[in-house]
Amino acid sequence: MSRPERPVLVVIAHGSRDPRHAATVHALVRRVRAQRPGLRVETAFLDFNIPSVQGVLNSLAAEGIRDVVALPLLLTRAFHAKSDIPAVLRQAPSRLRIRQAEVLGPSPLLTAALERRLYEAGLTPADKSRTGVVLASAGSTDPEAIAVIAEIAREWRHTGWCAVRPAFASAALPRTEDAVRELRALGCERVAVAPYVLAPGFLPDRIARGAAGADVLADVLGPAPEVARVLLERYDEARMPSLAAVGA
């Protein structure tokens, strides 16, 4: 008896006028494909870049595809995940069965990716106890998203860092530069900024400017292998909840 075909994974990114954004998204998708050979993965953008979500879904339907998992390439469950993406998916061809996966965060794998980027920027595990970290996210007007970032910072602090403070590039306070100053005032010998963002762009550039007073600025999460693993976890949870339970 043949096994049913796996749903196509459609990764939905926000999109940006900054060409680095799309290039990073495509690099991440290539990493996902390498981790799960045989899985068909398509990339779509909400705005600014092509292909659009509607265009990808129309093409899949025209091919005769029936099952799709739509995965928001987002770190928090805010407006795009709650409103924009469901609205676009409702316009998909009726022949498609679409399941919307959860956003990527929070996840211990993402925290591991943050640490990877800090170590790549020059820190070592031996630096943790004397280093304060700014967990710098894009920001949101959604209180749920802001609360999630604050909770990630609290939990990350317990892994051995001198201190961890959340910061936001827009829509919420404090800004990155304010969190850097706060960590200095706390007495942390070194201050590092860890951007909790997936790809370069306008807001990550703002985070970088705010990190001018820090000792270390890590790179964006980008195509880190841990991020690719989270994408596949969310895909498995969406297509077959029992798989996630047994770690398949």
Side-chain angles (χ1 to χ4, degrees):
M1 183 176 178
S2 62
R3 297 178 62 185
E5 289 193 13
R6 288 178 291 187
V8 174
L9 171 56
V10 177
V11 176
I12 302 177
H14 183 275
S16 171
R17 293 186 178 91
D18 189 322
R20 297 173 298 167
H21 174 89
T24 302
V25 170
H26 288 305
L28 175 58
V29 169
R30 287 194 295 272
R31 174 86 72 171
V32 172
R33 291 184 181 122
Q35 288 192 12
R36 186 73 61 88
L39 173 62
R40 180 171 176 179
V41 187
E42 300 289 343
T43 308
F45 297 91
L46 283 173
D47 206 354
F48 302 117
N49 302 104
I50 54 173
S52 67
V53 178
Q54 194 67 48
V56 168
L57 296 177
N58 287 344
S59 295
L60 291 173
E63 285 183 40
I65 299 296
R66 296 299 300 269
D67 288 321
V68 170
V69 170
L71 193 152
L73 196 61
L74 302 168
L75 294 172
T76 58
R77 183 171 161 74
F79 182 78
H80 293 305
K82 294 177 179 178
S83 180
D84 282 355
I85 291 176
V88 173
L89 296 181
R90 284 194 294 270
Q91 299 171 21
S94 58
R95 68 169 287 116
L96 291 178
R97 180 187 179 209
I98 302 177
R99 285 162 281 188
Q100 181 176 330
E102 290 295 329
V103 298
L104 303 185
S107 167
L109 285 169
L110 294 177
T111 306
L114 288 167
E115 294 214 4
R116 170 193 289 274
R117 293 302 188 222
L118 286 170
Y119 296 150
E120 289 171 350
L123 292 179
T124 69
D127 296 320
K128 291 184 76 168
S129 63
R130 59 193 182 94
T131 302
V133 178
V134 178
L135 178 67
S137 78
S140 173
T141 57
D142 189 309
E144 178 187 346
I146 297 302
V148 166
I149 299 299
E151 180 61 24
I152 293 170
R154 282 192 294 270
E155 292 186 2
W156 201 15
R157 161 69 181 84
H158 296 308
T159 65
W161 297 101
C162 172
V164 180
R165 293 289 185 271
F168 307 94
S170 68
L173 296 173
R175 295 286 184 258
T176 302
E177 52 269 35
D178 298 326
V180 168
R181 285 193 290 268
E182 181 184 353
L183 291 171
R184 294 280 188 212
L186 281 174
C188 298
E189 291 182 33
R190 305 185 74 186
V191 175
V193 174
Y196 190 59
V197 293
L198 287 166
F202 176 75
L203 292 178
D205 284 349
R206 181 180 288 178
I207 290 171
R209 290 193 298 272
D215 301 294
V216 173
L217 170 63
D219 199 358
V220 298
L221 293 172
E226 297 89 349
V227 179
R229 284 175 59 194
V230 177
L231 262 73
L232 290 170
E233 282 188 358
R234 299 293 180 254
Y235 169 79
D236 288 336
E237 291 163 2
R239 77 183 177 101
M240 196 176 299
S242 61
L243 277 182
V246 299

